[in-house]
């Protein structure tokens, strides 16, 4: 097991040592179910698919993913273990990646535990399971983008609450980027090219493409770039903390 | 094994480390002394590769810390200030984690963890969450973590801080036992530590080195080094004081209520002479003692920037 494997495993196991994992999973499943059945009118639509389930994922992640990410670096800074971690033979990039991947793996488990919904639609009708699989993958990679934002802000402060609020705020801006809330602010004075760019930088609009069941390469590239960008910022922030 | 050359580090307007140079060889235990906030921890963080210096160079095992950070971290055992560890883990899982990061696996990993746990006597608490442990045990977990890979170079930031006298004694014995094969840098603001474990001491104040030498050499810088201390009734002292002042080797005599302190001129040994004199005159004294010099005096003098003579000596005479 490599250096990154060791850090990954420690981070991952830590979620389950503390009550965080269980609280998170229960709330995630409860909210996912509630939103799907009540706000998403799962039954009334009369269609055997998971569209109403996936449609709410950006909103779920907006609230819950920063909660998983906030402890990644803030806690280390607060207790001082960051000094221990970064004086072990591991590079900052390795540490950032290992922590991110551990949190992502944890999110994947929470997401996988929504499988009863998948069983339900298969019991009720004959959904396109290919579309569902694509949506799940799309949702997971979008969760990665939210996580990368959260991890980055976690490295900015030793206060988990501040890390959470900042991450949630930036996630919100990214989420609603393609909606009238943001676009109307720019309409009228910004050139249409700018408005189109802002619209295309939204988590929602990119996820919508994937959730329809189309593996949209540009959407995947988009989420991968967001992850890469924020993890890079994360590495820079940790290095700045060392060089301060 | 550790070489620090003209190291500087500032945080905003505060100069934490200012032009500090020293080196530690194998077999040496260097005590890094200084008041709180003197820059000890900052210098140690730079050696351990956690902080980047503004200027100057730190090298461990001949390798530049800035150029080979990973290789250095592999060879170095570092216990940060306060011995932080992951509170929700148990010592055995925590040490297992450290061992994995340090590249141990399987049987080797178990052996390394067992050895470190045994050296630091963690036996009975190995499976308790670290957050439930006492301060002494937490500190030992931090030390076990630093020792786990049997490093050639050890950097321990305040290893005995917050320990009870027994634990301090154990910690010092442990450090002394390891000393011959390693280069060890420890920081402390407890002076008794220096005599107990260190082969050399560097005193730092406001980021600058103000003294560097063996504990003996530092003690010799005390105004009371080789001074003779006499306890006797006031009347006896009144007759004795003028006689002592006449002696060639005596520089100064301070008289208190029931005690007297005679400080020698530099390089003079006045103890034997005074003892003979007191016996010849059949004077009634309850004690004649040779002062080695208090490290405290030296410490206080060099870290507050005051002169080496004066207040410190007078206080001793009144004791």
């Amino acid at each position: 097991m490599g250096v990154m494997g060791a850090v990954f495993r420690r981070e991952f196991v830590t979620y389950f040592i503390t009550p965080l994992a269980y609280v998170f999973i229960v709330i995630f499943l409860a909210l996912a179910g509630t939103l799907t059945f009540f706000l998403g009118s799962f039954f009334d639509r009369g269609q055997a698919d998971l569209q109403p389930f996936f449609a709410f994922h950006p909103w779920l992640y907006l609230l819950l993913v920063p909660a998983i990410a906030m402890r990644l670096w803030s806690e280390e800074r607060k207790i001082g273990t960051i000094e221990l971690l970064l004086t072990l033979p591991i590079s900052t990039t390795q540490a950032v990646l290992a922590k991110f991947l551990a949190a992502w793996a944890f999110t994947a488990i929470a997401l996988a535990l929504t499988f009863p919904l998948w069983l339900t639609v298969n019991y009720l009708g004959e959904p396109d399971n290919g579309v569902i699989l694509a949506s799940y993958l799309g949702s997971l990679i979008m969760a990665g983008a939210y996580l990368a934002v959260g991890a980055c802000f976690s490295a900015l402060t030793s206060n988990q609450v501040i890390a959470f609020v900042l991450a949630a705020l930036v996630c919100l801006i990214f989420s609603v980027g393609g909606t009238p809330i943001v676009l109307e602010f720019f309409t009228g004075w910004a050139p249409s090219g700018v408005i189109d760019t802002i619209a295309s930088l939204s988590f929602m609009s990119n996820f919508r493409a994937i959730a329809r069941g189309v593996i949209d390469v540009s959407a995947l590239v988009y989420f991968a770039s967001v992850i890469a960008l924020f993890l890079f910022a994360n590495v820079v922030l940790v290095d700045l903390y060392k060089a301060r | 094994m550790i070489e620090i050359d003209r190291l500087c580090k500032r945080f905003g307007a505060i100069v934490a480390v200012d032009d500090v140079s020293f080196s530690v060889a194998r077999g040496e235990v260097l005590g890094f002394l200084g008041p709180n906030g003197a820059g000890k921890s900052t210098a140690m963080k730079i050696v351990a590769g956690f902080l980047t210096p503004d200027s100057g160079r730190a090298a461990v095992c001949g390798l530049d810390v800035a150029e080979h950070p990973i290789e250095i971290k592999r060879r170095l055992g570092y216990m940060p200030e306060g011995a932080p560890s992951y509170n929700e883990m148990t010592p055995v899982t925590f040490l297992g984690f450290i061992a994995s990061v340090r590249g141990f696996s399987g049987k080797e990993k178990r052996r390394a963890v067992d050895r470190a746990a045994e050296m630091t006597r963690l036996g009975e608490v190995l499976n308790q969450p670290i957050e439930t442990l006492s301060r002494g045990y937490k500190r030992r977990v931090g030390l076990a973590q630093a020792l786990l890979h049997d490093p050639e170079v050890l950097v321990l930031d305040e290893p005995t801080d917050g320990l009870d006298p027994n634990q301090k004694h154990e910690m010092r014995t442990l450090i002394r036992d390891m000393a011959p094969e390693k280069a060890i840098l420890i920081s402390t603001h407890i002076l008794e530590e220096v005599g107990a474990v260190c082969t050399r001491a560097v005193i730092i104040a406001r980021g600058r080195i103000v003294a560097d030498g063996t504990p003996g050499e530092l003690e010799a810088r005390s105004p009371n080094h080789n001074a003779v201390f006499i306890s006797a009734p006031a009347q006896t002292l009144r007759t004795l004081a003028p006689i002592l002042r006449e002696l060639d080797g005596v520089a100064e005599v301070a008289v208190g209520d029931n005690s007297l302190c005679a400080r020698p001129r530099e390089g003079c040994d006045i103890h034997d002479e005074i003892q003979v004199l007191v016996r010849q005159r059949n004077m009634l004294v309850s004690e004649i003692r040779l002062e080695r010099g208090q490290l405290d005096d030296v410490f206080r003098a060099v870290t507050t920037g005051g002169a080496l003579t004066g207040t410190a000596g007078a206080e001793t005479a009144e004791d």
Side-chain angles (χ1 to χ4, degrees):
Chain A
M1 189 167 58
V3 179
M4 275 179 66
V7 176
F8 173 87
R9 210 176 59 161
R10 196 202 76 76
E11 288 290 337
F12 187 73
V13 169
T14 303
Y15 281 112
F16 293 93
I17 299 178
T18 58
L20 181 64
Y22 308 101
V23 170
F24 177 83
I25 287 174
V26 167
I27 292 179
F28 178 74
L29 295 181
L31 277 180
T34 313
L35 292 174
T36 308
F37 287 105
F38 291 96
L39 284 178
S41 319
F42 179 72
F43 290 119
D44 300 343
R45 295 172 74 242
Q47 285 179 33
D49 64 16
L50 286 178
Q51 282 277 16
F53 167 63
F54 287 113
F56 288 108
H57 278 198
W59 299 107
L60 266 181
Y61 290 154
L62 174 60
L63 187 68
L64 293 177
V65 169
I68 317 183
M70 67 180 184
R71 52 162 289 278
L72 284 176
W73 291 96
S74 292
E75 201 176 25
E76 300 251 11
R77 278 181 64 160
K78 180 143 209 158
I79 319 179
T81 41
I82 189 168
E83 204 175 327
L84 181 77
L85 179 68
L86 296 177
T87 49
L88 289 171
I90 181 170
S91 70
T92 310
T93 311
Q94 286 175 316
V96 165
L97 279 178
K99 274 171 170 285
F100 169 75
L101 290 174
W104 206 8
F106 174 71
T107 330
I109 286 179
L111 188 60
L113 285 174
T114 59
F115 73 91
L117 274 170
W118 173 71
L119 293 179
T120 310
V121 283
N122 272 280
Y123 174 76
L124 292 173
E126 281 170 10
D128 186 339
N129 281 322
V131 171
I132 294 180
L133 182 68
S135 304
Y136 263 114
L137 288 176
S139 176
L140 184 61
I141 191 167
M142 180 172 65
Y146 280 100
L147 257 181
V149 173
C152 175
F153 282 99
S154 174
L156 193 65
T157 164
S158 59
N159 185 320
Q160 294 197 30
V161 177
I162 294 178
F164 174 85
V165 173
L166 286 178
L169 181 71
V170 172
C171 286
L172 177 72
I173 293 170
F174 267 104
S175 300
V176 299
T179 65
I181 309 174
V182 172
L183 294 184
E184 271 175 17
F185 177 75
F186 292 96
T187 332
W189 58 272
S192 63
V194 172
I195 296 175
D196 287 348
T197 312
I198 294 168
S200 69
L201 286 180
S202 145
F203 283 6
M204 294 264 194
S205 45
N206 279 284
F207 179 60
R208 225 171 278 138
I210 303 178
R212 273 199 306 270
V214 201
I215 299 274
D216 182 352
V217 176
S218 70
L220 290 180
V221 169
Y222 166 73
F223 282 123
S225 327
V226 171
I227 293 175
L229 177 72
F230 277 94
L231 289 185
F232 174 71
N234 191 343
V235 172
V236 171
L237 282 174
V238 174
D239 280 338
L240 276 180
Y241 177 69
K242 287 173 65 176
R244 98 212 106 109
Chain B
M1 304 286 279
I2 303 177
E3 279 152 60
I4 302 289
D5 189 29
R6 315 210 62 176
L7 216 55
C8 292
K9 175 79 185 172
R10 46 167 68 239
F11 298 112
I14 303 159
V15 183
V17 174
D18 187 5
D19 200 19
V20 165
S21 308
F22 63 84
S23 63
V24 189
R26 191 188 293 275
E28 254 189 318
V29 181
L30 181 73
F32 211 28
L33 290 168
N36 292 321
K40 303 181 299 256
S41 290
T42 305
M44 294 179 109
K45 282 173 193 184
I46 294 172
V47 176
F50 180 64
L51 288 180
T52 335
D54 294 337
S55 65
R57 178 176 174 275
V60 172
C61 304
L63 295 168
D64 193 302
V65 175
E67 282 165 28
H68 309 270
I70 302 286
E71 184 54 36
I72 283 184
K73 289 167 188 176
R74 221 167 259 145
R75 299 203 187 179
L76 186 111
Y78 174 52
M79 186 178 87
E81 190 178 8
S85 52
Y86 296 108
N87 285 327
E88 66 283 347
M89 299 176 104
T90 62
V92 76
T93 52
F94 175 65
L95 294 177
F97 160 67
I98 299 288
S100 301
V101 176
R102 292 211 173 271
F104 292 95
S105 61
K107 238 181 224 161
E108 247 180 71
K109 177 173 153 183
R110 211 167 318 133
R111 207 175 303 138
V113 171
D114 287 347
R115 184 184 144 276
E118 197 182 316
M119 282 178 83
T120 50
R121 305 208 189 150
L122 280 171
E124 52 208 275
V125 300
L126 272 179
N127 293 305
Q128 282 179 34
I130 294 175
E131 60 196 340
T132 67
L133 299 182
S134 69
R135 208 163 162 185
Y137 272 119
K138 279 185 187 165
R139 186 91 9 170
R140 286 195 238 179
V141 172
L143 183 69
Q145 163 276 121
L147 297 177
L148 191 119
H149 53 302
D150 195 17
E152 300 165 84
V153 178
L154 261 181
V155 177
L156 309 174
D157 201 346
E158 305 204 338
T160 60
D161 186 45
L163 300 187
D164 68 35
N166 293 336
Q167 293 166 335
K168 274 184 192 166
H169 178 77
E170 272 176 37
M171 183 71 84
R172 286 171 193 160
T173 313
L174 183 63
I175 293 173
R176 258 199 315 261
D177 290 348
M178 291 185 302
E181 287 103 55
K182 301 186 195 303
I184 304 179
L185 174 63
I186 67 169
S187 76
T188 179
H189 53 258
I190 308 165
L191 292 160
E192 52 183 280
E193 203 115 314
V194 178
V197 286
C198 301
T199 54
R200 226 177 89 221
V202 165
I203 303 181
I204 176 172
R206 291 175 298 275
R208 284 182 159 275
I209 290 183
V210 286
D212 180 352
T214 64
E217 281 165 11
L218 290 181
E219 277 169 3
R221 290 177 59 171
S222 163
N224 288 331
H225 180 63
N226 283 345
V228 174
F229 183 86
I230 301 173
S231 303
Q235 212 181 344
T236 318
L237 292 179
R238 265 198 299 277
T239 34
L240 187 58
I243 303 171
L244 293 184
R245 285 200 182 97
E246 294 299 308
L247 294 179
D248 281 345
V250 175
E252 188 187 355
V253 177
V255 186
D257 277 348
N258 285 304
S259 64
L260 168 155
C261 180
R263 269 184 224 114
R265 276 185 220 286
E266 216 172 300
C268 294
D269 184 359
I270 53 174
H271 178 251
D272 294 346
E273 197 177 350
I274 293 177
Q275 202 142 34
V276 170
L277 192 141
V278 167
R279 210 172 297 149
Q280 276 172 356
R281 307 206 171 199
N282 275 329
M283 282 178 162
L284 193 68
V285 300
S286 49
E287 186 191 10
I288 299 184
R289 189 177 75 233
L290 178 66
E291 288 278 338
R292 299 304 327 174
Q294 294 288 320
L295 214 47
D296 293 51
D297 301 337
V298 183
F299 182 81
R300 213 169 324 140
V302 295
T303 56
T304 56
L308 271 175
T309 49
T311 53
E315 275 170 35
T316 318
E318 283 158 19
D319 281 351

